[in-house]
Amino acid sequence: MNRHPQVPGYQVTGVAGAGSGQAVWSARAANGERVVIRIVRPATAPERERLERRWQALASVASDGVARALACVDMSGGELATVCQHIDGPTLGTMLTARQGLTEGECLALARRLLSALAAMHAAGLVHGDVAPSNVVLAPEEGDPASVRPVLIDVAPIPGCERGTPGFTAPELAQGRALSAQADVYAVGALAVGAARPADRPRVHEALQLLLSEDPSSRPSARDAARSLATEQAPVRAAEARLLAAATLRSHASRTRTTRAPARRRRARHRRRAVRPVAILAAVVIAVGALVASETTDPAPAARQVVVPSSPGDVLERVVELTDLRDRALESGDRELLTEVSVPGSAAAEADAAVLARLVAAGVELDGLTSHVSEVELLELGSASARVRLEVAHSDYRRDAPGGRSETVDATQPRCATMELSRLQGAWRVAEVRDC
């Protein structure tokens, strides 16, 4: 069974995802409020003090565009549990996948609201450090269910450890300069340009070109930039339910399975399962290292180019298909089926072949193994290659060995991975998977 952390004053109900390298948990406070808890382990006493000071400052930020900081709880073993308000809604990345981009007016209004939220953080002496689609949740707009408002999450990483998300990182950070409020401003500009529909991107870039200046001293402050966009009031409209459900239901399904760990009937070897719907999106690779261990015991015309895919849906749909193929191959011991997942001769192909060979040699069958992701983000997309970042965990599953011996392998906490894909004979296949 998955082991939930014990946090005084809170009932942890399941895995919510991952952020800044730490597991993120869903929980309820004593008053019934839904919260999100991140367990962090500061490496040194000064690092712990910095995190605690950051948390105190976050608690003073009064903005509906920033997830509320609720508590910072001492845990055994030197860990800290940081508790934030739960924001109900899809991430901006999910919304963009569902809608294939926003209009010019929506992008500029999105930038205005994010800049206002950041201005409140900057006034408290805080830098977000990772303004990206996966860290913006779109909550329902009060009184207008057809519209959404952006809320910044992942607001409490260990200070000094956050370096941003590729494609939204200010250029000075690549030169080794310290994170600053001006880097947050750049990230908002990159995010807004990247969120735009291809036809609207040039106009969004023109409107936000100062935010994307190579020289951080040339960028306006978040407050000044928000004021310059004061007339941009277009509501960001929600995606159609049928499109959004395909991108968001997967995370809810993943959390339910991790928490409840329902028993599954054992499948016969080589029996092919029905393809899982897009609603249950999972990672193609389920932490190969963890599995092996268990067996041994259009770019934006910005000053700095922002790489944003013009149509990520095709790649993400293929990820779903590849996930199902890999799960079927490992559970059935089907070598031929496994070759359909990866690029022949690639690192991914060799790793998967080794995993399957060990299973077959030991006569071990897997039952109930399912990979789950809390976020999938397409970082780069070219004509023959793509790069995806995802948070991945695997469910509880059973290993059935000869002689009727059986054991349960516990579910894992989410971890960040990047996946390289290549187009082979018109179809995407996995070339390599690495930890972030």
Side-chain angles (χ1 to χ4, degrees):
M1 298 296 293
N2 192 41
R3 298 178 178 87
H4 297 170
Q6 301 298 310
V7 182
Y10 298 90
Q11 180 186 5
V12 178
T13 57
V15 177
S20 300
Q22 304 101 25
V24 181
W25 300 87
S26 296
R28 288 193 181 274
N31 63 3
E33 180 181 7
R34 295 176 66 191
V35 299
V36 174
I37 297 178
R38 178 176 286 105
I39 307 295
V40 296
R41 184 188 293 275
T44 63
E47 190 175 84
R48 184 186 187 91
E49 292 172 1
R50 290 198 304 272
L51 179 59
E52 290 175 335
R53 286 197 302 270
R54 178 181 178 88
W55 193 260
Q56 292 172 359
L58 275 169
S60 71
V61 175
S63 170
D64 66 357
V66 180
R68 269 186 301 120
L70 300 174
C72 189
V73 182
D74 284 316
M75 302 277 286
S76 61
E79 293 180 323
L80 287 173
T82 59
V83 186
C84 271
Q85 169 192 20
H86 169 83
I87 306 298
D88 191 16
T91 65
L92 176 61
T94 300
M95 182 71 78
L96 295 178
T97 298
R99 285 194 49 193
Q100 301 295 299
L102 307 181
T103 66
E104 174 188 0
E106 287 176 305
C107 289
L108 296 181
L110 176 73
R112 175 184 62 78
R113 298 187 76 155
L114 290 175
L115 288 163
S116 294
L118 287 169
M121 290 188 66
H122 296 168
L126 299 168
V127 175
H128 186 282
D130 193 12
V131 180
S134 60
N135 287 330
V136 177
V137 172
L138 299 174
E141 190 77 86
E142 188 174 353
D144 183 6
S147 300
V148 292
R149 60 181 178 86
V151 181
L152 287 166
I153 62 168
D154 200 13
V155 293
I158 294 177
C161 296
E162 191 62 78
R163 302 303 295 175
T165 295
F168 306 95
T169 305
E172 65 269 18
L173 298 183
Q175 301 165 7
R177 297 177 62 174
L179 192 64
S180 69
Q182 298 311 103
D184 279 348
V185 171
Y186 179 95
V188 171
L191 182 148
V193 172
R197 300 180 304 189
D200 289 341
R201 269 187 204 145
R203 294 189 298 274
V204 175
H205 174 260
E206 182 179 2
L208 301 179
Q209 57 184 334
L210 286 180
L211 279 65
L212 293 165
S213 173
E214 289 281 326
D215 180 2
S217 65
S218 298
R219 299 171 204 150
S221 67
R223 187 172 301 280
D224 288 345
R227 287 173 177 168
S228 72
L229 297 170
T231 59
E232 301 297 341
Q233 300 289 332
V236 177
R237 63 180 179 83
E240 294 181 34
R242 65 182 179 83
L243 298 176
L244 192 58
T248 58
L249 189 57
R250 59 178 170 78
S251 62
H252 295 297
S254 172
R255 287 197 289 267
T256 299
R257 290 185 179 183
T258 300
T259 301
R260 293 166 54 192
R264 294 178 175 84
R265 184 180 63 181
R266 178 174 176 178
R267 301 180 184 91
R269 288 178 64 86
H270 301 288
R271 177 181 175 185
R272 297 205 169 196
R273 294 178 288 166
V275 175
R276 276 170 281 172
V278 175
I280 309 178
L281 181 59
V284 173
V285 178
I286 53 164
V288 168
L291 184 56
V292 172
S294 74
E295 292 309 311
T296 59
T297 61
D298 330 345
R304 176 176 180 267
Q305 189 178 58
V306 180
V307 180
V308 178
S310 58
S311 55
D314 291 345
V315 177
L316 298 185
E317 288 177 8
R318 179 59 174 165
V319 167
V320 177
E321 183 178 357
L322 289 168
T323 299
D324 186 73
L325 287 174
R326 187 177 190 274
D327 285 348
R328 286 161 52 187
L330 290 179
E331 287 199 331
S332 65
D334 190 333
R335 292 186 179 87
E336 183 178 351
L337 187 61
L338 192 61
T339 63
E340 298 178 20
V341 175
S342 52
V343 177
S346 67
E350 292 178 0
D352 278 354
V355 170
L356 185 56
R358 296 179 71 89
L359 291 172
V360 173
V364 171
E365 297 182 11
L366 305 182
D367 183 39
L369 175 62
T370 306
S371 304
H372 302 305
V373 294
S374 54
E375 202 63 57
V376 181
E377 184 178 359
L378 188 55
L379 301 177
E380 296 179 11
L381 177 60
S383 60
S385 63
R387 186 162 62 93
V388 177
R389 186 175 73 165
L390 32 120
E391 303 289 348
V392 59
H394 71 67
S395 64
D396 290 352
Y397 66 95
R398 199 171 69 240
R399 295 173 63 238
D400 297 330
R405 291 179 292 113
S406 179
E407 65 176 331
T408 297
V409 178
D410 289 341
T412 62
Q413 296 183 9
R415 69 178 181 90
C416 179
T418 57
M419 181 187 300
E420 306 285 342
L421 298 104
S422 297
R423 193 187 295 274
L424 184 65
Q425 297 179 342
W428 291 105
R429 295 195 183 190
V430 182
E432 187 174 4
V433 179
R434 299 185 300 272
D435 288 336
C436 294

